[in-house]
Amino acid sequence: MDKFATLEPKKLYTPTFSLGKNATNDAKRKSQLLRPVQQPLVGRLPLDLHLLVISHVPVPDIPAYARSSRALAGFARDEKVWERKWDYLGVDKDPELKKVVEVLEKASTAKAAPPKTPATATIAVDDEFGDFAAADPFSSSSAQPRPDEMGDFVGAFQDFTLQPKSLSYALTTPKENFRSKYIHLHNLLKPLTKLLNSPPHVVLADLVSYLSQAQPSPPSLKTQAKLLRLLSHFLSPIVQPIRTWSALSSSLRSTMDRFDSNLLAAFEAADGRGDEKGMREAAESSWEVWDRQGGSGEWEMGKVWAEKREIFYQQDSGKWRALDNFTEDGKLDFAPMDEFMEDILAAINEHGARAVRVFPPSSNVLLLFAERLANEVVGEYILSLLTHARELSTEVYLRAAAASFKEAWKMVDAIMDAAKQREPEGVPQEEVVKKVRAEDVVYQMFETNMDEYLDEEVESVKRALDEIVKSWNSKQTMTATTSPSSTHQPHFLTPNNPSNPAQLKRTVLASFTDILLLPVTIVPRTVGVVGGVVGGAVMKGGRGAVAGVKMLNPQRWASSGNGAEGYSKNLGNDGTLFEVGEDEDDEKEGEDNTVFSPDLASTASSTSDAASISTTATSTQATSISASTSNPQTQTEQLDLLLSLDIALELIHADREALKRVETFVGYPGHYGHRVRDTIEEVFVLMLRALGEGHVVVGFATATERMKNYKPAEHAEITTSVAPLVEFFELVHIGDTIQSIMQVYFDKELAPHIDKTDFLNGVVREKKRFENALDDAVAAGLNAGTEVLMNQVEHIILTLTQPREYYPPEDAPLELGPTKGCVEAIKCLDTHCKLLKGSTSKEVLEVFYQEVGLRLIGILQKHIKRQIISLSGGFQVIADLNAYNAFIASLKIPAVTADFSHLKMLGHVYIVEDAKDLAQIVKDVARYGGAYRPEDVYEFIQRRSDWKKIEKTVDKTMYNLSFKEDCVVS
């Protein structure tokens, strides 16, 4: 082991040395900065520790501590030691205590005996033990304290002087420091401690008698309370002024209890007389005494005052009955609760305001009174109401819970109004009661109902949404086997005016947005009918209390006066759930609200436009599918009925009912605040899933399957309108409108509660999922729709193209225009492409156009290869290709436009008469025609009527072949 070297600490880095003459100074400066700060030591302990110890030493023991050494004697005079004791007495912080000290000074002066001749104590000061080495002031006969000082530190130094060896000096008036101020107050309070050895009632009388020496009239209750509080601070573990402070402190507490009982009697007497000034003096004096003793539990005076309020005993007398809020048929009518809350608010305004004027702000008697009123009166009333509502139905319970909380919330404003009673006297309202604490009164009262309410709200929304979707699905099953003529749906498409869908959507969204912006309240009340009832909405002088989203009727956007059943059929049910707020309703005086009433004779101009649009669209569609109305296949072609704005609005209405109820509790703090926000998000997510997975996706999937079964050849009449595709485009417009409505609903109702930029938020993710599912469903449908459309186009071209369309007789006149088949095919394509505009995204539209163009190229190539084309017929081919190319160019899809330009070049091979020139053109087309190779062009020129004549010449020119010279037949 000896051969191993001893491990030594090593520096992990090389220190940086500065060069030049300042290198040494830099090193010293670094060493000083890195060196820890050392506290000066006194003996073996640091200075701060000595100061900490002596600050906890009782006052009588400080002389003994100081005599230990000169250094410790200096600590006894340190300001930090006496600052702690002086600050705890609180004289500098309370002006009223300063007045009490002044009274004590006057009383002490009046009682003081003639001044004694001060004794002189000679103390040598040149030894190492300081002022206490030569003479012991507590043992010297010349420095003995008075008998009444009980050997305490302060009194022992009151009547002697210190005499150094070379100089004698007398103790003069001390400077204004913490030590001198404490000594002065100590001498004033010390005589009062002798009085505490008597019984409590005697102590109170002696204190009053002592203070009366300084003034002609007896001291006020507040002065007595302040003196007792000052004595309680004086006889405390922090100060410890005398050795018997603990026993005297117990006696003082008994005296303070006795004094508090006397104040309670004085307060009740003043309350009986209605003397608020006397009540306030007694209350503030009692608070001084009770607060100093620790203030544990409830303050007796505030508690007794609140218990005597008559409002707490009126419920037992049967004055208020919670069950009066239910009508005979089990509906809610909160008129009785309005009367109940009026009494509660009146009690807060009367008794709460008096509590603010009488009791100290820090006692919070107003809040304590409001909490007791909320828990024992309002809470019991609401509990009885909700219990009965729960027995009736979940829907009634949910509405009653939100409405009850809304009614109870009125207490917050009443508490804040009562708190203002203290403001004229210079006490800010914020110091009397914070609004947050006033809100907590209602929040804490209602907490017992929150768990059940939030759980039931989510379950209720889930059941309501599922019921709506299942009802729609069952209705679809029934209409699949019956005539759908009784089903009404607004139509967006008008082929003659493609801008109509966008206009109708704007009308729909404008009406929907206006409905969402209507002020609402959830407290049900019975409203007197003025001016009549229109569709279940109560009209008042042209202004109505409408039922929110529920009053929206898609039929109104499509037609008027048809009397068909639609979304408005349930307007009369629960019409009071969302009412126009009274304040906001007054502000809307004179505004035209007819746009929100589905049954009014006159509607908005945009609605009339929408009606005419729908009428035209309906007639056009009826004409386009007239050929198939007598066919059973008609039932499978009603694709536009697979989605319904009725159902979308019903789902949103059910969701908005729950959302508005939950929003009532959105201000809840803490745990329930998080639960409320989670419930708001969950309710919206459930609506998105029901609307997306339960309705939109299912509708598009069914439409896609039905389109795949469409066979154009099975229809006798040739038409440019593909009925399933037109209906699918109508379906796309409906889906796009549903998505737009959902986006408006999200922006207006839910966005304020979430961060829309948080992509991890559950609502944002579900909304994106809904939009993606809709896009995927539209894309899948468009893929099938493209197949249907192009089958119809091919059917039109094959059917309407005459046998000798491109091989006319020699003497036939030459018409340089597209053929009928070409015109009808382009018309079919153009009509359906325009119908799709504005109903889906630009990206999906471009994909659809590109797919149409590519499939059209294939159809035309097959069509040309089936023909026999003469030279004159070649010009007809070019005319058709030019027409097709112009249509494709209007779609503005560069890739497809380029392909059609190549196809148009291919038409030139049919108008060249010379075979050698034709061979050269074939090479040029293959060279500049993009995807067309020479062998591909070769297939097309074979459809020339003169091909047998020019075949050898073309082959020889193209391939340099000569059958006589190059081919050997064996």
Side-chain angles (χ1 to χ4, degrees):
M1 299 295 295
D2 295 339
K3 64 182 179 180
F4 291 102
T6 305
L7 292 176
E8 297 181 357
K10 295 183 179 180
K11 295 181 180 179
L12 299 179
Y13 60 90
T14 303
T16 304
F17 297 98
S18 57
L19 301 177
K21 60 181 180 179
N22 295 326
T24 305
N25 295 334
D26 292 342
K28 290 181 179 180
R29 189 179 300 109
K30 289 182 179 180
S31 62
Q32 292 175 357
L33 292 175
L34 296 176
R35 184 183 306 164
V37 178
Q38 296 291 337
Q39 292 287 344
L41 298 178
V42 179
R44 294 185 177 181
L45 300 177
L47 173 63
D48 289 349
L49 185 57
H50 281 283
L51 294 177
L52 181 63
V53 170
I54 197 173
S55 64
H56 290 80
V57 171
V59 172
D61 294 333
I62 290 181
Y65 187 90
R67 288 196 300 269
S68 300
S69 69
R70 180 178 300 173
L72 297 184
F75 294 157
R77 296 187 293 270
D78 193 282
E79 284 294 288
K80 293 182 180 179
V81 176
W82 300 100
E83 180 181 5
R84 180 171 180 266
K85 300 181 182 299
W86 175 255
D87 286 345
Y88 186 71
L89 294 175
V91 176
D92 290 340
K93 300 177 183 178
D94 190 348
E96 296 293 334
L97 286 180
K98 290 185 178 181
K99 296 180 181 179
V100 173
V101 172
E102 293 175 359
V103 174
L104 289 175
E105 288 177 345
K106 295 178 181 180
S108 177
T109 302
K111 189 179 179 181
K116 300 178 182 180
T117 303
T120 302
T122 303
I123 301 176
V125 296
D126 58 349
D127 59 66
E128 64 182 12
F129 294 99
D131 298 339
F132 303 97
D136 185 353
F138 293 96
S139 60
S140 173
S141 60
S142 62
Q144 286 296 326
R146 296 194 307 268
D148 60 352
E149 299 295 342
M150 295 181 290
D152 292 333
F153 170 71
V154 176
F157 288 92
Q158 185 176 6
D159 300 322
F160 66 88
T161 59
L162 298 177
Q163 180 66 40
K165 286 185 178 181
S166 58
L167 179 63
S168 297
Y169 60 93
L171 196 64
T172 59
T173 302
K175 298 179 180 179
E176 278 296 320
N177 52 35
F178 294 114
R179 181 172 180 271
S180 62
K181 288 191 290 187
Y182 171 79
I183 292 175
H184 177 65
L185 185 57
H186 182 101
N187 290 329
L188 293 177
L189 296 177
K190 183 69 175 296
L192 300 180
T193 58
K194 300 176 182 179
L195 306 177
L196 297 179
N197 293 320
S198 303
H201 65 281
V202 177
V203 173
L204 290 175
D206 292 343
L207 289 175
V208 172
S209 176
Y210 185 86
L211 293 177
S212 299
Q213 300 176 17
Q215 50 192 6
S217 60
S220 63
L221 294 177
K222 195 169 185 179
T223 301
Q224 298 177 47
K226 290 289 184 179
L227 177 59
L228 291 175
R229 180 175 181 178
L230 184 59
L231 283 173
S232 65
H233 282 281
F234 185 64
L235 298 174
S236 64
I238 294 179
V239 179
Q240 302 182 41
I242 57 179
R243 299 189 185 279
T244 58
W245 69 269
S246 180
L248 295 177
S249 178
S250 299
S251 177
L252 179 62
R253 281 196 297 270
S254 300
T255 302
M256 295 172 74
D257 292 339
R258 176 74 180 217
F259 179 69
D260 195 19
S261 300
N262 296 340
L263 291 175
L264 182 58
F267 179 85
E268 293 180 353
D271 189 13
R273 300 190 306 268
D275 180 12
E276 289 192 3
K277 183 177 181 181
M279 294 170 63
R280 180 171 181 175
E281 183 180 14
E284 291 179 348
S285 301
S286 177
W287 180 254
E288 284 286 338
V289 175
W290 180 83
D291 185 48
R292 175 58 194 95
Q293 297 185 78
S296 59
E298 292 188 18
W299 181 31
E300 187 67 20
M301 183 171 290
K303 178 182 178 182
V304 171
W305 173 84
E307 287 177 347
K308 292 186 176 181
R309 301 310 100 192
E310 185 180 358
I311 190 71
F312 293 108
Y313 309 103
Q314 291 180 349
Q315 191 168 4
D316 297 335
S317 63
K319 181 178 180 181
W320 307 305
R321 295 182 68 255
L323 300 187
D324 291 344
N325 294 279
F326 299 91
T327 61
E328 294 180 357
D329 56 351
K331 301 296 182 180
L332 289 174
D333 178 11
F334 265 41
M337 190 168 185
D338 288 337
E339 299 176 0
F340 166 72
M341 288 305 302
E342 287 179 1
D343 292 342
I344 297 298
L345 301 180
I348 295 177
N349 292 332
E350 178 185 355
H351 304 301
R354 173 170 290 184
V356 173
R357 293 193 300 268
V358 169
F359 295 102
S362 56
S363 63
N364 293 324
V365 175
L366 171 61
L367 286 178
L368 296 176
F369 171 72
E371 287 176 359
R372 185 168 182 176
L373 190 62
N375 295 327
E376 298 182 9
V377 181
V378 180
E380 292 297 328
Y381 186 92
I382 291 177
L383 180 61
S384 301
L385 190 153
L386 295 183
T387 301
H388 185 70
R390 194 72 175 86
E391 296 173 356
L392 294 177
S393 67
T394 302
E395 181 183 0
V396 174
Y397 166 77
L398 295 175
R399 296 181 59 196
S404 299
F405 181 83
K406 194 74 173 180
E407 288 284 291
W409 191 255
K410 296 177 181 178
M411 295 180 63
V412 176
D413 295 333
I415 294 172
M416 299 305 298
D417 290 339
K420 296 178 182 179
Q421 295 293 321
R422 195 87 178 188
E423 282 187 337
E425 300 184 14
V427 181
Q429 176 184 349
E430 290 76 9
E431 295 183 10
V432 178
V433 55
K434 300 285 188 182
K435 186 175 182 180
V436 174
R437 300 187 63 184
E439 294 175 350
D440 287 343
V441 171
V442 180
Y443 285 140
Q444 293 173 2
M445 177 270 294
F446 210 84
E447 273 187 0
T448 56
N449 307 304
M450 287 302 295
D451 286 321
E452 181 182 7
Y453 165 74
L454 293 176
D455 292 339
E456 286 294 338
E457 195 68 78
V458 173
E459 292 299 323
S460 175
V461 171
K462 189 180 298 184
R463 288 194 299 269
L465 298 178
D466 290 343
E467 183 178 353
I468 293 172
V469 173
K470 289 180 181 179
S471 175
W472 169 257
N473 292 335
S474 62
K475 185 184 298 184
Q476 288 296 102
T477 303
M478 294 177 59
T479 56
T481 58
T482 59
S483 175
S485 59
S486 60
T487 303
H488 294 266
Q489 178 83 348
H491 295 284
F492 289 85
L493 299 180
T494 303
N496 297 330
N497 190 358
S499 65
N500 284 334
Q503 181 180 352
L504 183 55
K505 286 178 187 177
R506 287 194 296 269
T507 304
V508 173
L509 294 179
S511 300
F512 183 77
T513 303
D514 290 339
I515 288 296
L516 289 180
L517 294 178
L518 283 177
V520 296
T521 178
I522 62 172
V523 179
R525 296 185 180 91
T526 300
V527 183
V529 177
V530 180
V533 178
V534 181
V538 181
M539 306 302 298
K540 298 180 180 180
R543 296 176 293 120
V546 296
V549 181
K550 204 172 187 181
M551 60 73 55
L552 284 176
N553 184 6
Q555 295 180 35
R556 182 176 58 79
W557 299 321
S559 59
S560 60
N562 54 16
E565 294 184 359
Y567 186 69
S568 61
K569 62 184 178 182
N570 295 323
L571 277 178
N573 297 338
D574 301 333
T576 58
L577 180 61
F578 295 98
E579 301 172 350
V580 177
E582 297 178 0
D583 298 337
E584 294 83 357
D585 191 53
D586 294 338
E587 295 175 1
K588 290 180 176 291
E589 186 74 38
E591 293 182 4
D592 183 12
N593 290 331
T594 56
V595 68
F596 306 121
S597 180
D599 297 327
L600 293 179
S602 60
T603 56
S605 60
S606 59
T607 306
S608 300
D609 296 338
S612 63
I613 294 167
S614 175
T615 304
T616 306
T618 305
S619 60
T620 302
Q621 185 177 355
T623 303
S624 66
I625 61 174
S626 59
S628 59
T629 53
S630 60
N631 193 310
Q633 191 177 355
T634 302
Q635 298 177 3
T636 64
E637 292 178 354
Q638 299 294 328
L639 304 185
D640 58 329
L641 302 180
L642 294 175
L643 290 186
S644 172
L645 287 178
D646 289 11
I647 298 303
L649 293 176
E650 281 191 53
L651 293 173
I652 291 178
H653 170 63
D655 183 77
R656 190 169 186 254
E657 282 187 353
L659 183 63
K660 285 301 177 183
R661 287 194 295 262
V662 180
E663 276 185 350
T664 309
F665 307 91
V666 75
Y668 244 103
H671 167 70
Y672 287 106
H674 291 292
R675 281 213 61 191
V676 168
R677 287 185 287 275
D678 291 343
T679 303
I680 289 176
E681 295 182 7
E682 187 173 0
V683 165
F684 187 78
V685 167
L686 290 175
M687 188 274 294
L688 283 178
R689 291 176 180 172
L691 184 59
E693 299 174 1
H695 184 59
V696 174
V697 174
V698 174
F700 273 103
T702 304
T704 302
E705 291 299 322
R706 291 184 183 182
M707 278 195 301
K708 291 179 179 179
N709 298 327
Y710 178 79
K711 306 296 183 185
E714 297 177 0
H715 297 267
E717 183 179 351
I718 305 300
T719 176
T720 59
S721 178
V722 184
L725 188 57
V726 172
E727 293 166 1
F728 180 78
F729 287 167
E730 175 72 29
L731 197 70
V732 173
H733 281 287
I734 296 174
D736 183 62
T737 304
I738 290 175
Q739 181 178 352
S740 299
I741 290 176
M742 187 275 297
Q743 181 65 46
V744 172
Y745 179 54
F746 172 80
D747 293 336
K748 298 295 182 182
E749 299 291 352
L750 202 74
H753 303 294
I754 65 171
D755 180 9
K756 295 192 295 185
T757 62
D758 182 11
F759 63 90
L760 296 178
N761 181 271
V763 173
V764 177
R765 293 172 60 186
E766 190 65 30
K767 177 174 173 290
K768 188 65 176 178
R769 184 168 172 264
F770 169 82
E771 294 170 350
N772 291 339
L774 179 59
D775 291 341
D776 293 342
V778 171
L782 286 179
N783 187 41
T786 304
E787 186 71 27
V788 172
L789 175 62
M790 301 316 296
N791 289 341
Q792 181 73 16
V793 169
E794 186 174 11
H795 179 68
I796 292 173
I797 293 176
L798 291 176
T799 306
L800 298 182
T801 301
Q802 299 300 321
R804 301 195 62 173
E805 195 78 67
Y806 301 117
Y807 189 18
E810 295 293 336
D811 56 348
L814 184 62
E815 297 181 1
L816 297 179
T819 61
K820 181 179 181 181
C822 173
V823 171
E824 293 299 319
I826 292 176
K827 182 179 179 181
C828 178
L829 290 171
D830 184 62
T831 299
H832 293 87
C833 287
K834 288 181 178 180
L835 290 178
L836 191 60
K837 284 185 178 181
S839 62
T840 185
S841 63
K842 181 180 179 182
E843 293 76 12
V844 174
L845 198 63
E846 289 180 352
V847 171
F848 175 73
Y849 288 166
Q850 185 171 1
E851 188 68 19
V852 167
L854 294 177
R855 296 195 183 193
L856 181 59
I857 289 177
I859 292 173
L860 294 178
Q861 288 176 347
K862 290 170 57 179
H863 177 63
I864 293 174
K865 290 180 181 179
R866 284 194 293 262
Q867 306 300 319
I868 297 177
I869 305 171
S870 64
L871 290 177
S872 59
F875 291 99
Q876 190 66 59
V877 171
I878 293 177
D880 286 353
L881 292 179
N882 287 337
Y884 286 119
N885 183 73
F887 164 72
I888 292 298
S890 66
L891 300 181
K892 298 179 181 180
I893 306 297
V896 181
T897 303
D899 290 341
F900 262 87
S901 64
H902 300 156
L903 180 62
K904 186 176 67 172
M905 292 176 58
L906 188 63
H908 291 81
V909 300
Y910 300 109
I911 60 174
V912 178
E913 185 174 0
D914 186 81
K916 294 183 179 180
D917 294 339
L918 176 62
Q920 185 61 40
I921 290 177
V922 170
K923 292 181 180 180
D924 293 339
V925 170
R927 182 181 306 168
Y928 304 109
Y932 294 104
R933 299 171 297 176
E935 53 269 29
D936 297 329
V937 181
Y938 192 81
E939 294 180 7
F940 284 98
I941 62 176
Q942 290 179 353
R943 309 314 303 165
R944 288 174 60 110
S945 59
D946 57 351
W947 174 245
K948 294 299 182 180
K949 298 178 182 179
I950 64 174
E951 179 181 6
K952 294 181 180 179
T953 305
V954 171
D955 290 342
K956 182 177 181 181
T957 305
M958 289 182 60
Y959 305 108
N960 294 322
L961 293 178
S962 175
F963 289 97
K964 294 182 178 179
E965 300 175 358
D966 300 333
C967 297
V968 177
V969 179
S970 58

